[in-house]
Amino acid sequence: MEIKYNRSLSGVPENQQQQPLRRITKTYIENRDPVRRNLTMLYNEDTQQINKSMLSSNNDLRRKMLNQDRVKRSLNQDVLEDKENVPQHKGITTKLYTLPQELQNIAIKPKFDHTIKENKNLQKYYTDEIFFYLKEQEKKSTPQEFLKIHSIPSNLRAKMIDWMVEVLCSYKCTDQTFFVAVRTLDFYFAKNEKQLEVSDLHLCGVTSMFIAAKYEEIHPMKLSVVYEKIAHKKLTTDQIKKKESEILQTIGFDLVGGTLFDLYNLILTNCFIESKLLEKNYKYLKKLCLYLAKMVLYDYEICGKNNYTLLSAALIFVAFKIVEQLETTFNADSQIKDVAQIIQVDQDQLVEVAAKILNLAKNFEKHFPNLENLKKFNGFQLEDDEQ
């Protein structure tokens, strides 16, 4: 008796051979591997949820767009209706309303004119507040008796000031940079409790100019230029950076105090001197004040024992006396009385300091021989303004 096995070579009954092999294999694997079956079910469920959420978000977005379109159409319709309802008149009359009496007496200042050079009108509006703020800060921001504990002679300091005039003018720095540099140097001397020697003066002067240029100039001097051209490689860059940190920490990073340059300019503006002189004489007065202000910083006996406000008023008085000889209608004595009253300084003390400044101006070459940079870089004549 012959027995026939109903089984194919693949081990599948003949009645199921018409199904694809991969389908049978997949079913077989899923039945054998419950973990994979569960993962497949989870994947299918997540896919369905994602599709449902995307469909709902698309519906919400489509609903918002439809609402926006409705709002736009309604707004456009309202605008059109308003235009149609506006009565067309050739001339429309307006009713004038008058302010109450208490409001009519209010004076409104005109707007600032930013087209004028250097915003002179803007400066005039705030010159009182700026000046008296700087004067209040003067007690703690003006260096005085700054060489008292140091071994640096006043004539060597004057030589350093003369060299700073040359350096800063040669590198086209502003006048304000010079005054900030001198104030920083003197302020460091005044605040430093450690006794400084003559050998420290060069490094302190170079670093003070470097600090002032970084604070004031749009394009300050680079450290490499200071090292190569100004210090002539006698000071290292590390020495300059270390001294810069030391100076700033000693003065408490206080670089915003008023300088002699700031104060005499504010006094001239605050007292409206420009309106009392001819244009060429006022320019000459400004040059005189700049020259005298730089000259005063050479003399330790004058700048080291008086505050900047008193020095500013005194040098302005000397300049007034010189300009008085050019314009006879200008009375220097009466003008300086007004200045002293406005800036609140003692007039007798002002005249005393002005006499010292005038004496210094007449005998500058005798007091400081061989220091010619001030005259070289800031000397001028009246004919310079007329050209």
Side-chain angles (χ1 to χ4, degrees):
M1 182 175 170
E2 184 177 358
I3 300 173
K4 294 183 179 180
Y5 291 95
N6 189 16
R7 182 179 295 178
S8 64
L9 294 176
S10 59
V12 181
E14 291 182 357
N15 58 353
Q16 296 181 5
Q17 285 186 1
Q18 66 272 16
Q19 296 180 357
L21 179 63
R22 59 185 179 182
R23 181 177 176 185
I24 297 171
T25 305
K26 180 178 178 182
T27 305
Y28 175 75
I29 292 172
E30 287 178 353
N31 292 332
R32 292 289 304 271
D33 191 352
V35 175
R36 181 171 294 183
R37 183 173 65 253
N38 293 334
L39 290 175
T40 304
M41 293 174 60
L42 291 173
Y43 173 77
N44 294 333
E45 292 176 359
D46 293 341
T47 305
Q48 293 177 0
Q49 290 180 359
I50 291 171
N51 291 333
K52 289 180 180 179
S53 63
M54 290 180 63
L55 182 61
S56 62
S57 62
N58 289 334
N59 292 333
D60 292 340
L61 181 62
R62 194 178 297 108
R63 193 179 301 108
K64 289 181 181 179
M65 293 177 65
L66 291 173
N67 290 334
Q68 290 178 356
D69 291 337
R70 292 194 194 96
V71 172
K72 287 182 180 179
R73 285 197 299 271
S74 63
L75 288 175
N76 293 333
Q77 185 64 29
D78 293 339
V79 171
L80 291 174
E81 292 177 357
D82 291 341
K83 287 185 178 180
E84 293 176 357
N85 296 329
V86 172
Q88 302 295 328
H89 299 287
K90 294 183 179 179
I92 300 176
T93 58
T94 58
K95 185 178 180 181
L96 297 177
Y97 294 92
T98 58
L99 291 172
Q101 185 64 31
E102 59 271 15
L103 296 179
Q104 291 181 357
N105 298 327
I106 297 176
I108 300 175
K109 291 185 178 181
K111 292 183 178 179
F112 301 136
D113 187 359
H114 296 280
T115 61
I116 298 178
K117 186 180 180 181
E118 297 180 358
N119 287 336
K120 292 182 179 179
N121 282 0
L122 186 63
Q123 183 184 11
K124 289 178 181 178
Y125 273 103
Y126 294 101
T127 184
D128 293 348
E129 289 81 0
I130 295 171
F131 175 79
F132 287 105
Y133 171 77
L134 294 178
K135 188 178 178 182
E136 288 177 1
Q137 302 295 318
E138 196 171 41
K139 293 181 180 179
K140 63 179 182 180
S141 64
T142 301
Q144 291 186 353
E145 301 287 347
F146 42 83
L147 294 181
K148 188 175 182 179
I149 67 170
H150 304 299
S151 300
I152 300 174
S154 59
N155 62 330
L156 287 182
R157 177 193 167 276
K159 190 173 181 180
M160 171 57 67
I161 301 301
D162 191 66
W163 181 61
M164 292 169 76
V165 170
E166 179 185 10
V167 170
L168 296 175
C169 288
S170 299
Y171 282 90
K172 309 298 182 183
C173 295
T174 62
D175 294 318
Q176 176 70 329
T177 302
F178 167 78
F179 286 97
V180 171
V182 175
R183 178 186 176 274
T184 303
L185 178 68
D186 294 341
F187 206 15
Y188 172 66
F189 289 158
K191 294 287 186 178
N192 196 346
E193 298 178 356
K194 180 183 176 181
Q195 187 178 15
L196 297 172
E197 305 295 335
V198 174
S199 57
D200 299 320
L201 182 60
H202 186 212
L203 177 58
C204 293
V206 169
T207 310
S208 296
M209 288 189 288
F210 184 46
I211 293 172
K214 289 204 292 186
Y215 185 74
E216 286 292 335
E217 299 295 326
I218 298 175
H219 303 288
M221 296 180 291
K222 295 182 179 180
L223 182 59
S224 59
V225 174
V226 176
Y227 165 69
E228 295 177 5
K229 304 296 183 181
I230 298 177
H232 301 291
K233 298 183 180 181
K234 294 181 180 179
L235 303 171
T236 64
T237 55
D238 291 336
Q239 284 179 308
I240 296 171
K241 289 190 289 185
K242 185 177 179 181
K243 180 58 70 173
E244 178 186 15
S245 176
E246 182 184 342
I247 289 176
L248 291 174
Q249 289 180 11
T250 302
I251 67 176
F253 295 86
D254 184 9
L255 296 171
V256 298
T259 63
L260 198 58
F261 181 79
D262 291 321
L263 291 170
Y264 84 72
N265 275 295
L266 286 169
I267 291 172
L268 293 177
T269 306
N270 195 18
C271 298
F272 302 100
I273 304 301
E274 184 177 4
S275 62
K276 301 172 184 178
L277 287 171
L278 296 175
E279 183 179 358
K280 66 175 184 178
N281 291 336
Y282 183 72
K283 289 182 179 179
Y284 185 68
L285 175 70
K286 295 271 286 188
K287 288 190 174 183
L288 268 174
C289 290
L290 177 61
Y291 181 87
L292 293 172
K294 289 188 175 183
M295 183 193 69
V296 162
L297 294 178
Y298 280 70
D299 197 319
Y300 174 69
E301 295 299 323
I302 296 178
C303 69
K305 297 182 179 180
N306 298 287
N307 58 50
Y308 283 161
T309 301
L310 185 60
L311 289 176
S312 301
L315 68 89
I316 286 174
F317 186 30
V318 175
F320 280 176
K321 282 292 187 181
I322 298 173
V323 172
E324 187 181 35
Q325 302 174 13
L326 302 174
E327 191 170 332
T328 55
T329 57
F330 184 78
N331 191 330
D333 293 326
S334 64
Q335 292 298 327
I336 202 62
K337 287 181 182 179
D338 295 339
V339 169
Q341 185 177 3
I342 291 173
I343 66 175
Q344 300 174 7
V345 295
D346 183 69
Q347 187 174 348
D348 295 334
Q349 195 176 6
L350 186 155
V351 173
E352 181 183 353
V353 177
K356 294 179 180 180
I357 295 175
L358 182 59
N359 181 58
L360 176 63
K362 291 180 178 179
N363 303 287
F364 183 79
E365 296 179 357
K366 186 184 296 184
H367 287 289
F368 303 103
N370 302 322
L371 301 185
E372 300 178 351
N373 286 324
L374 179 62
K375 184 178 179 181
K376 179 180 177 181
F377 291 97
N378 287 102
F380 63 95
Q381 295 179 354
L382 181 61
E383 289 77 11
D384 296 340
D385 292 326
E386 296 176 353
Q387 291 179 355

